[in-house]
Amino acid sequence: MTSATPNIRLYVEHDLGTDREFLIDGNQGHYLINVMRMKEGEVVALFNGRDGEWMARLEKVGKGKALVRVLGHLEDQAEEPDLWYLFAPVKKARLDYMVEKATELGVSLIRPVMTRRTIVDRVKEERLRANAIEAAEQCGRLTVPEIEEPVKLDKLLAGWPDDRLIMFCDEAGGEGAQDIKPVGEAVAQAGQSSGLTKWAILIGPEGGFSPEERQMIRSHPQTVAVTLGPRILRADTAAVAAISLWQSFAGDWQ
Amino acid sequence: MTSATPNIRLYVEHDLGTDREFLIDGNQGHYLINVMRMKEGEVVALFNGRDGEWMARLEKVGKGKALVRVLGHLEDQAEEPDLWYLFAPVKKARLDYMVEKATELGVSLIRPVMTRRTIVDRVKEERLRANAIEAAEQCGRLTVPEIEEPVKLDKLLAGWPDDRLIMFCDEAGGEGAQDIKPVGEAVAQAGQSSGLTKWAILIGPEGGFSPEERQMIRSHPQTVAVTLGPRILRADTAAVAAISLWQSFAGDWQ
């Protein structure tokens, strides 16, 4: 980042272009004015997932709100890896954490999956979306991942799109698993043999999937089972590991 | 894991071999008897970092303690990847977390490094060691990583062994960095050109290293600078990502 890049990045819904003006209020206004104590004339960076990143100036500042005017363009909107992150929700704190990490790591969509051993049944999508926005603002990405509503595992698999592969990481992967490969190998081979480029990463709950669920996932034609090494990983460790590996072999870490 | 493998694994200091008997008391005894309510005749798995993994039977059970007798051998002690994890400590909760994750991910040594921007000055090694033991018991590994006392960055680099490479992950990596490569490429090239096989992963503090520190690290002959993608990662995300990638390219995830 050059010294001209503003310290604060905000995600907004507004269209972005030179001289566009709009009000920033609510939580974001409170953050800018009350928490960060920004003053008239100072600048922020804005992005909306469509128009890239723009610099904007605080034209007028009030109690917990600011009128901003877009000055100029900082970064183009660019193609980002198409990677879904599907996970079985665990305790609330971990849920926030999972969404934050997945966003930092560049996934394009996040969706909770309900399994037999899922510990948390009620997922507040608004909260997850707020987590995703904050993580996106802080990590420098130009989009916010979509947050999809929770879905039951069987329904997810029954309606699975035929242009997307599923990287399946299950902690019981070692058991009698002849076709389980390391991530790099699995991604390269499956990509080649299927001709598909879109992926999803499916991480099981703490305690793993049930045998029936594992069978259901493993028998799906687009499932690619992978190993994340010889030790048992917690679900949140597995998530960060799997996404990082995918980014290194098939995403934007190459 | 077969159904004969005990559910509970404990790390002990005792030598392990058939018919050896010893007392398990203190925290471990409390855990076995009061928390897990184990009974006479039941079995546990034991490892000591030297003799592999063994099954042991609770011969006699008392208040918060048990006399165990080693029955037989479950797993051989095997070579593990030689990977040091060096990190700048952040808040206490994250510290525990970092040690837990690094242990799950198979590092052989963990050492806090004090930098200008380190937030926590006092590191309790006993606590870190307890975290490492618990994580080792739960993830199935046959050793517990060594916990080294904290060291200042300049002293660490001044005394650096000449048979070990340093994978340097710094969040400011993108700034004018011509020689920064993705992890796979960096590990392969540096390994080949240096002939060295031992590695350490160095993760900076939240807020990154200072410019002087970054210069000091980058100029060390055994430093290999890597990028972890185009987004800014938090220190704990970077740690899991970097270790996972190293394990995939040079460790036991291959």
Side-chain angles (χ1 to χ4, degrees):
Chain A
M1 278 188 246
T2 67
S3 58
T5 307
N7 284 337
I8 294 174
R9 300 180 80 238
L10 293 181
Y11 173 76
V12 296
E13 305 268 340
H14 301 279
D15 287 341
L16 296 168
T18 306
D19 288 339
R20 283 186 177 272
E21 277 197 2
F22 46 85
L23 191 68
I24 289 184
D25 58 2
N27 286 338
Q28 286 182 326
H30 169 74
Y31 175 69
L32 280 188
I33 306 308
N34 303 339
V35 177
M36 300 305 290
R37 303 189 182 285
M38 291 199 77
K39 305 278 177 278
E40 197 175 297
E42 291 186 307
V43 291
V44 292
L46 303 175
F47 66 103
N48 60 11
R50 304 185 298 279
D51 301 323
E53 188 172 291
W54 294 73
M55 186 177 307
R57 185 178 178 276
L58 273 61
E59 291 291 301
K60 252 179 131 115
V61 162
K63 270 192 202 265
K65 58 189 178 186
L67 182 72
V68 298
R69 182 159 68 90
V70 181
L71 298 178
H73 184 244
L74 289 169
E75 247 190 271
D76 288 330
Q77 193 70 40
E79 189 96 32
E80 290 182 354
D82 186 339
L83 178 67
W84 292 1
Y85 168 54
L86 310 165
F87 68 110
V90 289
K91 290 169 285 200
K92 260 198 210 136
R94 296 278 187 170
L95 195 61
D96 293 343
Y97 176 89
M98 299 279 237
V99 169
E100 178 188 301
K101 293 310 171 196
T103 301
E104 275 179 68
L105 293 165
V107 307
S108 48
L109 180 148
I110 297 172
R111 185 166 206 184
V113 177
M114 298 305 170
T115 69
R116 182 158 305 169
R117 295 181 186 164
T118 301
I119 298 172
V120 162
D121 290 300
R122 188 171 289 276
V123 169
K124 285 195 183 156
E125 284 145 69
E126 265 317 297
R127 176 183 172 144
L128 297 191
R129 188 164 159 77
N131 288 143
I133 288 173
E134 186 175 343
E137 290 169 341
Q138 291 181 13
C139 78
R141 61 183 285 175
L142 294 175
T143 56
V144 176
E146 289 178 55
I147 309 290
E148 287 286 320
E149 59 172 10
V151 62
K152 284 189 169 176
L153 177 65
D154 52 1
K155 192 166 172 219
L156 173 78
L157 292 173
W160 192 259
D162 49 21
D163 64 348
R164 190 175 294 272
L165 294 161
I166 306 169
M167 182 192 300
F168 173 48
C169 318
D170 184 29
E171 64 170 44
E175 290 181 25
Q178 303 91 329
D179 63 330
I180 291 192
K181 300 183 168 56
V183 173
E185 212 181 306
V187 165
Q189 282 187 19
Q192 250 182 12
S193 58
S194 70
L196 301 180
T197 56
K198 298 180 189 174
W199 282 85
I201 292 177
L202 176 59
I203 302 283
E206 297 295 341
F209 288 105
S210 73
E212 299 77 18
E213 289 169 338
R214 189 171 304 123
Q215 174 56 27
M216 185 174 23
I217 298 165
R218 294 289 305 275
S219 60
H220 193 286
Q222 276 137 262
T223 290
V224 180
V226 299
T227 172
L228 296 176
R231 286 160 294 277
I232 298 169
L233 303 183
R234 291 179 181 274
D236 55 344
T237 319
V240 175
I243 300 172
S244 302
L245 290 175
W246 186 90
Q247 289 286 27
S248 297
F249 289 110
D252 63 7
W253 289 24
Q254 299 175 85
Chain B
M1 278 187 245
T2 66
S3 57
T5 308
N7 283 338
I8 296 173
R9 301 180 80 236
L10 293 181
Y11 172 75
V12 295
E13 306 267 337
H14 301 278
D15 287 341
L16 296 168
T18 306
D19 290 338
R20 283 185 178 273
E21 277 197 4
F22 45 85
L23 190 68
I24 290 183
D25 58 1
N27 286 337
Q28 286 183 326
H30 169 75
Y31 176 67
L32 279 188
I33 306 308
N34 303 339
V35 178
M36 299 306 288
R37 302 188 183 285
M38 291 200 77
K39 305 277 178 276
E40 196 176 298
E42 290 186 306
V43 291
V44 292
L46 303 176
F47 65 104
N48 61 10
R50 304 185 298 280
D51 302 323
E53 189 174 290
W54 293 74
M55 187 177 306
R57 185 177 177 277
L58 273 62
E59 292 292 298
K60 254 180 129 114
V61 162
K63 271 192 199 259
K65 58 190 177 186
L67 182 71
V68 297
R69 182 160 67 91
V70 181
L71 297 177
H73 184 239
L74 288 170
E75 249 188 272
D76 288 330
Q77 194 72 38
E79 189 96 32
E80 288 182 355
D82 186 341
L83 177 67
W84 291 1
Y85 169 53
L86 311 163
F87 68 109
V90 288
K91 291 170 282 200
K92 260 197 212 140
R94 295 277 187 172
L95 195 61
D96 292 343
Y97 177 89
M98 299 280 238
V99 168
E100 178 188 300
K101 294 308 173 199
T103 301
E104 274 179 69
L105 292 165
V107 307
S108 49
L109 181 148
I110 298 172
R111 186 166 205 183
V113 177
M114 297 306 169
T115 70
R116 183 159 303 173
R117 294 179 186 167
T118 301
I119 298 173
V120 163
D121 289 302
R122 188 170 290 274
V123 169
K124 285 196 184 156
E125 286 146 67
E126 265 319 295
R127 176 182 171 144
L128 297 191
R129 185 162 160 79
N131 288 144
I133 288 172
E134 187 175 341
E137 289 168 341
Q138 290 181 12
C139 77
R141 62 184 285 175
L142 294 174
T143 58
V144 175
E146 288 177 56
I147 308 290
E148 287 286 319
E149 59 171 12
V151 62
K152 284 188 169 176
L153 178 65
D154 51 1
K155 190 160 174 228
L156 174 78
L157 292 174
W160 193 259
D162 50 21
D163 64 347
R164 189 175 296 271
L165 294 161
I166 306 170
M167 182 192 300
F168 173 49
C169 318
D170 185 29
E171 65 169 38
E175 289 179 27
Q178 303 91 331
D179 62 330
I180 290 192
K181 300 184 168 59
V183 173
E185 214 180 305
V187 165
Q189 282 186 19
Q192 247 181 11
S193 58
S194 69
L196 301 179
T197 56
K198 297 179 188 174
W199 280 85
I201 292 177
L202 175 59
I203 302 284
E206 300 293 343
F209 288 107
S210 73
E212 298 78 18
E213 289 170 337
R214 188 172 302 124
Q215 174 57 26
M216 184 173 23
I217 298 164
R218 295 288 304 275
S219 59
H220 192 288
Q222 277 138 259
T223 289
V224 180
V226 299
T227 171
L228 296 175
R231 286 161 295 277
I232 298 169
L233 303 184
R234 290 179 183 272
D236 54 344
T237 318
V240 175
I243 300 171
S244 301
L245 289 175
W246 185 90
Q247 289 286 27
S248 296
F249 289 110
D252 63 7
W253 288 27
Q254 299 173 84

